[in-house]
Amino acid sequence: MFVRRLDPILVDRIAAGEVVERPAAAVKELVENAIDAGAGSVEITVEAGGRRLIRIVDDGQGMTPEDLELAVERHATSKIPDGDLFSINTLGFRGEALPSIGAVARLAITTRIKDAETGSMIVVEAGVKHPVRPASAPKGTRVEVTDLFAATPARLKFLKSDRSEAQAVAEIVKRLAIAHPTVRFTLSGEHITSFTYPPEEPGKHGFLRRLSCVLGSDFHENAMSIGVERENVRLTGFASLPTYHRGTSTAIHFVVNGRPVRDKLLLGAVRGAYADVMASDRHPVLAMMIDLDPRAVDVNVHPAKTEVRFRDPAFVRGFVVAAIKEAINRFGMRASSTVGARTLESLRPQGALPSRPAYGHHRPSIVRPASGFANWQAPLDPPSQGYASGLSEAQVSLHDLAAPSADSRATLTEIEPEMEASPLGAARAQVHGTYIVAQTQDGIVIVDQHAAHERLVYERLKRERASSGIARQLLLIPEVVDLDPVDADRVLAEASTLEGLGLAVEPFGHGALLVREVPSALAGGSIKALVQDVADALAEWGQGAANPLEERLDAVLSRMSCHGSIRAGRRMRPEEMNALLREMEATPLSGQCNHGRPTYVELKLSDIERLFGRR
């Protein structure tokens, strides 16, 4: 076989496979060109999911006839003025998008610069470039792509339905709208609910309002602000409260130097930051801007420019994890407002209601409650002695609280008006031995006593481990725990590490362990269940895992803390309930349990009144 040079048109069609694999990719390239041209408004229209038509209209600086003719040539760009590939300050720079699109579709570009008397237009059809000619046009650029992949019909078979392709376009526009909040974006067309993202309003809350337009109106009242800078790397944006989450990671948005990315390193950092407060199958809602020296990040590692490579990935990952964790600790007392909204929705009467019910002229309606602690923050330095110290005045021990009780009737408390001013109010009753009902100044709070105390015990164990070591209690009579021999071997293999966590075990025959000491905070719980949980955790991670057990100590403590917590069905005295509420207020992250579930629900009095038609 002889080596020959490929036809230029064929080269462009091959390149199109890298740059334009679907309509959404073409939209991304064209919108990024508009943003780089200084557009303040971008209008996107698609038909048949972008296969039949993609139209991008912007009010950017436009192009001269000479620039327009050169723009559709391969490797022609205005975005690397000095030829330095290690300092990229624009969204696109390779100069392949326009010729690649023109090679597989009909591409028409109409443009005019500000001071020109007339505009210019060029058409490229299946790789064949027509001459530039004068055209009437406003300032800016209008790009129309019709019959995408008409020159390569085999590619059409790999496209999804028109609706799926249109949704992919909408997702691209959403990500660009987050990355460039000062630009107005409008999307319309078939299979799309038309929308407009207005530009960011002036003021410190302008970006958050823009995010609420893109990510949902609930995000505004469930977002934690983040703004930190270290070693010339700046991280700004908003992340959701741990109890405000989604089933997929599609609502996690990172922007690196103005470029929206889906980077595995950053997604892993988010998972690590929320690992302690969110279930593994749930994902936060997040929009973060990372700004750093362009030379510290390589943006040319992915054909679609959706991934980047940092010069110091370990630093960036640790920086992101620390910033998010600091925000979680700062806002961790709060539970998301949607928890209360879901509660009210579950209380909504089922079925049709009479048009004029007996209790008044207005049918019950549900209004989302305001965030309970929007302007209140828990102290960052909670009491060092944990939950037991919070109960000292009431003379209640942790051991007493953990002891089960068969009585699950409601417990009523005396009214204590001074406690109602506290964020979680004053305890009024215990329902079914499981839930504490507290009264605040403007509503009620319902607390899951087991979930709340589990978090408090967990935080106490973490504080002890980080300071002087976890306090241990010597068992008067060591307890023998029988396990599967494989599980027993796993536990014994990590005996020294577990001893540092307050759990002292030693072998006691085939498949049996002798437990001599347990963490003081867990005294009174089921020792067998505790050891079995630890064994299950070791089996889940795998013996000899890449990450040593030392790096997963918090996960071990999280499992262990469940066994020292107040159990459901345990009847509590009024002073015990109020002590639990006060300790929750003083403990970071108490808004959710170790598994990411909310520990309390807050309902405003006005919302309850609407349930009963009183408003």
Side-chain angles (χ1 to χ4, degrees):
M1 297 180 66
F2 297 98
V3 178
R4 65 186 180 89
R5 188 181 298 275
L6 292 176
D7 179 86
I9 294 179
L10 180 58
V11 171
D12 286 341
R13 290 177 180 173
I14 294 173
E18 294 184 358
V19 181
V20 191
E21 74 274 13
R22 64 189 305 187
V27 171
K28 177 179 179 292
E29 295 285 347
L30 297 175
V31 173
E32 286 179 347
N33 283 345
I35 295 171
D36 281 337
S41 176
V42 181
E43 298 179 9
I44 305 105
T45 304
V46 296
E47 294 180 4
R51 175 177 49 81
R52 186 165 62 240
L53 171 67
I54 297 173
R55 180 188 301 120
I56 311 292
V57 180
D58 70 71
D59 61 354
Q61 64 187 29
M63 291 180 283
T64 65
E66 295 76 17
D67 285 341
L68 178 59
E69 184 172 15
L70 194 58
V72 294
E73 297 286 345
R74 290 200 69 202
H75 305 303
T77 181
S78 63
K79 302 178 182 183
I80 314 178
D82 55 2
D84 187 356
L85 289 177
F86 297 98
S87 182
I88 304 299
N89 295 291
T90 57
L91 298 178
F93 62 91
R94 296 185 304 172
E96 293 181 355
L98 292 179
S100 296
I101 294 172
V104 295
R106 182 182 187 275
L107 172 67
I109 306 176
T110 306
T111 183
R112 183 175 74 85
I113 62 175
K114 180 179 180 180
D115 298 326
E117 295 182 358
T118 184
S120 306
M121 179 179 183
I122 193 170
V123 175
V124 182
E125 293 184 278
V128 179
K129 185 176 70 171
H130 295 263
V132 176
R133 66 176 189 268
S136 175
K139 173 183 172 292
T141 302
R142 174 191 181 102
V143 181
E144 287 193 353
V145 180
T146 54
D147 298 327
L148 186 63
F149 299 132
T152 54
R155 296 288 303 277
L156 292 173
K157 295 188 297 183
F158 293 94
L159 295 183
K160 298 181 180 179
S161 67
D162 290 350
R163 183 174 299 278
S164 295
E165 295 296 340
Q167 290 172 348
V169 170
E171 183 64 25
I172 288 292
V173 175
K174 177 187 296 186
R175 295 191 175 277
L176 289 169
I178 291 174
H180 301 277
T182 60
V183 179
R184 176 187 297 273
F185 290 91
T186 300
L187 176 63
S188 60
E190 299 175 338
H191 309 295
I192 293 178
T193 301
S194 299
F195 59 78
T196 296
Y197 295 137
E200 176 183 346
E201 300 175 7
K204 64 178 182 178
H205 298 299
F207 182 48
L208 182 56
R209 293 191 184 97
R210 171 64 171 256
L211 292 179
S212 297
C213 291
V214 180
L215 300 176
S217 57
D218 288 338
F219 184 70
H220 187 282
E221 54 191 12
N222 293 294
M224 306 179 296
S225 61
I226 296 176
V228 291
E229 185 171 356
R230 187 191 309 164
E231 297 184 19
N232 297 321
V233 178
R234 185 158 52 100
L235 180 66
T236 57
F238 294 87
S240 67
L241 294 168
T243 48
Y244 184 86
H245 41 65
R246 305 278 175 83
T248 67
S249 63
T250 56
I252 297 177
H253 298 267
F254 274 99
V255 180
V256 178
N257 288 351
R259 185 187 304 274
V261 299
R262 293 286 294 173
D263 190 82
K264 294 179 181 179
L265 173 78
L266 298 176
L267 292 175
V270 171
R271 179 169 293 278
Y274 279 90
D276 213 20
V277 291
M278 187 175 291
S280 59
D281 59 343
R282 304 299 294 179
H283 305 270
V285 181
L286 177 149
M288 291 287 182
M289 306 281 195
I290 301 178
D291 296 295
L292 71 169
D293 185 346
R295 295 180 180 277
V297 57
D298 184 359
V299 299
N300 197 27
V301 297
H302 191 278
K305 297 171 291 185
T306 58
E307 296 181 11
V308 295
R309 180 180 294 123
F310 296 100
R311 179 189 298 172
D312 190 350
F315 168 77
V316 173
R317 185 188 188 280
F319 183 47
V320 172
V321 170
I324 296 177
K325 280 190 171 183
E326 188 278 331
I328 292 174
N329 278 279
R330 185 159 32 99
F331 291 88
M333 168 50 182
R334 286 174 50 192
S336 67
S337 64
T338 53
V339 173
R342 289 195 301 268
T343 304
L344 287 169
E345 185 65 27
S346 67
L347 296 174
R348 170 178 277 169
Q350 301 297 315
L353 292 175
S355 58
R356 292 177 61 87
Y359 47 76
H361 300 286
H362 302 287
R363 297 172 62 181
S365 61
I366 305 302
V367 176
R368 186 187 307 108
S371 178
F373 310 123
N375 299 314
W376 185 89
Q377 297 180 8
L380 294 181
D381 297 314
S384 60
Q385 297 303 315
Y387 186 62
S389 66
L391 300 181
S392 58
E393 294 184 3
Q395 298 181 345
V396 180
S397 70
L398 191 65
H399 178 78
D400 293 335
L401 289 177
S405 171
D407 194 340
S408 63
R409 294 173 297 178
T411 302
L412 300 179
T413 74
E414 296 297 328
I415 295 177
E416 301 175 4
E418 66 278 4
M419 288 189 180
E420 293 182 9
S422 302
L424 292 180
R428 291 289 175 262
Q430 183 188 30
V431 182
H432 295 295
T434 303
Y435 304 101
I436 298 171
V437 179
Q439 179 176 326
T440 63
Q441 289 181 326
D442 59 353
I444 64 172
V445 171
I446 305 173
V447 178
D448 182 332
Q449 66 188 42
H450 172 67
H453 194 230
E454 181 179 359
R455 168 58 70 176
L456 299 181
V457 172
Y458 177 35
E459 293 301 320
R460 173 187 173 183
L461 291 174
K462 287 199 298 182
R463 290 195 302 272
E464 291 180 352
R465 179 171 65 85
S467 56
S468 59
I470 294 178
R472 293 184 286 180
Q473 178 170 317
L474 182 67
L475 298 180
L476 184 62
I477 301 177
E479 183 164 336
V480 177
V481 176
D482 291 314
L483 296 175
D484 179 273
V486 176
D487 287 342
D489 289 341
R490 287 197 185 98
V491 174
L492 289 173
E494 301 293 347
S496 60
T497 302
L498 294 176
E499 187 172 359
L501 299 180
L503 182 64
V505 298
E506 58 185 58
F508 196 76
H510 184 67
L513 301 175
L514 186 69
V515 181
R516 293 191 177 275
E517 293 179 319
V518 297
S520 298
L522 308 183
S526 170
I527 295 178
K528 177 176 176 55
L530 170 65
V531 175
Q532 183 64 64
D533 238 13
V534 171
D536 291 342
L538 295 174
E540 179 181 333
W541 298 331
Q543 197 75 353
N547 293 328
L549 184 62
E550 290 290 342
E551 297 181 6
R552 307 172 187 260
L553 294 183
D554 283 349
V556 177
L557 294 180
S558 176
R559 295 228 185 186
M560 294 169 64
S561 62
C562 181
H563 301 282
S565 304
I566 303 171
R567 311 306 299 182
R570 160 75 166 93
R571 186 177 180 183
M572 300 176 66
R573 298 190 296 274
E575 59 269 25
E576 295 173 341
M577 291 186 284
N578 280 310
L580 178 67
L581 298 179
R582 301 292 79 78
E583 187 73 7
M584 288 178 65
E585 293 166 354
T587 302
L589 312 182
S590 62
Q592 56 281 318
C593 74
N594 307 352
H595 313 291
R597 296 189 299 270
T599 57
Y600 71 88
V601 172
E602 182 184 20
L603 303 178
K604 295 299 182 183
L605 182 60
S606 58
D607 297 309
I608 300 174
E609 289 175 339
R610 287 187 177 92
L611 273 177
F612 292 95
R614 298 176 66 90
R615 286 198 176 193

